[in-house]
Amino acid sequence: MKILFIEDTGEAAYPLKDYLEEEGHVVILAGNCAVAQDRLGEEDIDCLIVDLNMEPIGLEPEEIEQTRCGLLTGWVWLKNHIFSRDNAMRRRTVILTAYDREFKDMIPSEERCGLKVLSKNPAQGDIYTEILKVVNAIGKRLKKRAR
């Protein structure tokens, strides 16, 4: 499966990229929303893994105001640039955040419908295993639809 992973911190991006590739997935890294947008135009992507808290590179000024000082950059990009054109991508998106409780408090449940939100908090357990489970489940759904 081809995954676009949007993460602005290399220390967080490369270990997960390596792990998912060892499990047989192709992972394309994008360090910000602008690069991610370019990659989506160049590649057929099966799944998105998006960090929420990033610099708002690639967002318009009015969108930057919605990011709450960068805390919701990934969400604003997804909502305005991805889900507005392809709502089905919601079911193929994994959101990573250290602020999962805050995200769920700030974003109404109907807007989060279909998304998988995973905590980057180490106290929550092995995040890599959780991500792999979700990615593999997305892959199974895509294979069923292709039949």
Side-chain angles (χ1 to χ4, degrees):
M1 192 160 69
K2 195 178 283 189
I3 301 165
L4 179 58
F5 181 22
I6 303 101
E7 167 64 71
D8 63 343
T9 308
E11 302 87 50
Y14 288 104
L16 178 57
K17 177 185 186 299
D18 293 344
Y19 176 75
L20 291 170
E21 288 178 340
E22 287 170 10
E23 295 294 328
H25 299 286
V26 174
V27 180
I28 300 164
L29 288 178
N32 60 56
C33 299
V35 173
Q37 198 69 41
D38 290 343
R39 296 294 180 268
L40 282 169
E42 300 165 356
E43 305 276 349
D44 289 326
I45 301 297
D46 300 309
C47 175
L48 296 173
I49 300 175
V50 182
D51 180 31
L52 283 188
N53 190 6
M54 296 185 278
E55 292 293 320
I57 298 166
L59 297 182
E60 298 296 325
E62 62 274 7
E63 293 175 313
I64 293 171
E65 292 175 17
Q66 301 169 26
T67 68
R68 300 195 186 178
C69 299
L71 181 64
L72 296 175
T73 297
W75 171 251
V76 171
W77 176 74
L78 283 168
K79 188 172 121 179
N80 295 343
H81 297 269
I82 305 304
F83 302 153
S84 64
R85 289 185 308 223
D86 181 5
N87 198 48
M89 186 57 92
R90 283 178 178 278
R91 301 197 58 74
R92 300 182 326 203
T93 299
V94 180
I95 291 179
L96 298 179
T97 180
Y99 305 100
D100 52 313
R101 288 186 183 116
E102 292 86 348
F103 175 69
K104 289 175 181 177
D105 288 343
M106 288 187 273
I107 305 301
S109 61
E110 61 272 8
E111 289 188 41
R112 291 184 275 115
C113 183
L115 296 172
K116 183 66 177 176
V117 180
L118 297 176
S119 175
K120 290 166 107 178
N121 183 343
Q124 300 292 325
D126 181 6
I127 186 70
Y128 289 10
T129 301
E130 287 301 310
I131 292 169
L132 183 61
K133 284 180 192 175
V134 173
V135 165
N136 287 340
I138 291 169
K140 286 179 185 175
R141 283 197 313 263
L142 290 174
K143 284 181 184 176
K144 280 184 182 177
R145 285 191 192 135
R147 291 183 198 161

